[in-house]
Amino acid sequence: MVFSPNVNPKLYDPQRYINDGRYLGGFERSEVNEIYKNIEQNFTGWVQNFAPKAAGQNNTATGAKFEKTLGRMKPYIALSAAKTVFSSDFRHKLPQVMVPCTIIQSKKDVIVPQSVAFYIKNNVGGDATVKILNTEGHFPHLSAHNLLFRVLKETIQIKN
C-alpha cells in the first residue's frame, strides 16, 4: 500500500506480483497460473484457502468476514480481477512519482513480500519511507486498522 496525501491511491498501485529476475514480487508465473486455474475450477475452495491467508492466519474473525464477502463474488469476475492485478506492471512509472510517499507494509504478508515495499522506496523519483506494521495479512485496513491509522496520522501529521 503506497500512501501519498497528493496522489489518489486507487489510481496508482505500483505493485507487480510476479517475480522477474532480481525483482521479487512474491509469485512465480506458474503459481499465478495455478491461482487462475483454482479460481476457474474450484472457486469456493480457492476462496476458503485464500481469504485466511490474505487476512492473516491469526485474524480469524477478519478472515471469516473476508471469505464471506469474497465468496459472494461471481467466479468470472474474480478471475478477471486476478488477471488484471497479476498482469499489471507499473514499475516503469515509479521514477515519475515525485511527491513524498509513505509505503505501508504488513510485517508478514503472504501476498506481497517486504522486498516490494523497499523496491518501491528505492525506485520512486521523490522521497519515500517504508513503514512496516507489526501485523500479518495483506489487508491491514481490515485486520490492523489501529496500527494503520497511527501511521496515516503520522504521515499526514494530524495532532490528537
Side-chain angles (χ1 to χ4, degrees):
M1 173 184 296
V2 176
F3 176 78
S4 174
N6 302 320
V7 176
N8 181 342
K10 292 186 179 187
L11 298 178
Y12 185 73
D13 184 2
Q15 296 179 12
R16 161 122 171 133
Y17 293 87
I18 299 171
N19 298 335
D20 182 14
R22 293 188 310 180
Y23 173 80
L24 299 177
F27 294 90
E28 295 298 332
R29 172 67 64 190
S30 60
E31 293 172 302
V32 170
N33 290 336
E34 190 67 23
I35 290 169
Y36 297 158
K37 182 177 151 189
N38 287 332
I39 292 171
E40 271 185 310
Q41 296 178 0
N42 183 11
F43 181 68
T44 301
W46 174 77
V47 168
Q48 290 170 344
N49 182 48
F50 175 73
K53 290 179 183 174
Q57 298 288 354
N58 293 332
N59 199 325
T60 55
T62 300
K65 285 181 186 177
F66 181 57
E67 182 178 330
K68 189 174 182 179
T69 301
L70 188 60
R72 288 187 190 128
M73 186 181 286
K74 295 188 182 317
Y76 74 91
I77 293 173
L79 180 61
S80 176
K83 287 182 175 181
T84 299
V85 168
F86 282 115
S87 65
S88 297
D89 185 359
F90 296 102
R91 292 176 293 168
H92 65 284
K93 298 280 188 183
L94 290 173
Q96 297 172 26
V97 178
M98 302 305 291
V99 295
C101 297
T102 299
I103 302 150
I104 304 168
Q105 172 77 33
S106 294
K107 185 175 185 177
K108 200 172 174 187
D109 183 342
V110 298
I111 298 169
V112 178
Q114 288 184 21
S115 60
V116 173
F118 289 100
Y119 179 89
I120 294 168
K121 177 189 184 297
N122 293 331
N123 287 278
V124 294
D127 292 333
T129 57
V130 174
K131 299 285 185 170
I132 304 295
L133 299 180
N134 190 20
T135 189
E136 67 175 74
H138 187 62
F139 304 113
H141 56 289
L142 300 176
S143 61
H145 57 276
N146 290 333
L147 293 174
L148 178 62
F149 184 63
R150 193 175 317 134
V151 170
L152 291 174
K153 279 176 55 175
E154 288 173 14
T155 301
I156 58 177
Q157 300 172 347
I158 293 176
K159 308 282 190 262
N160 283 333

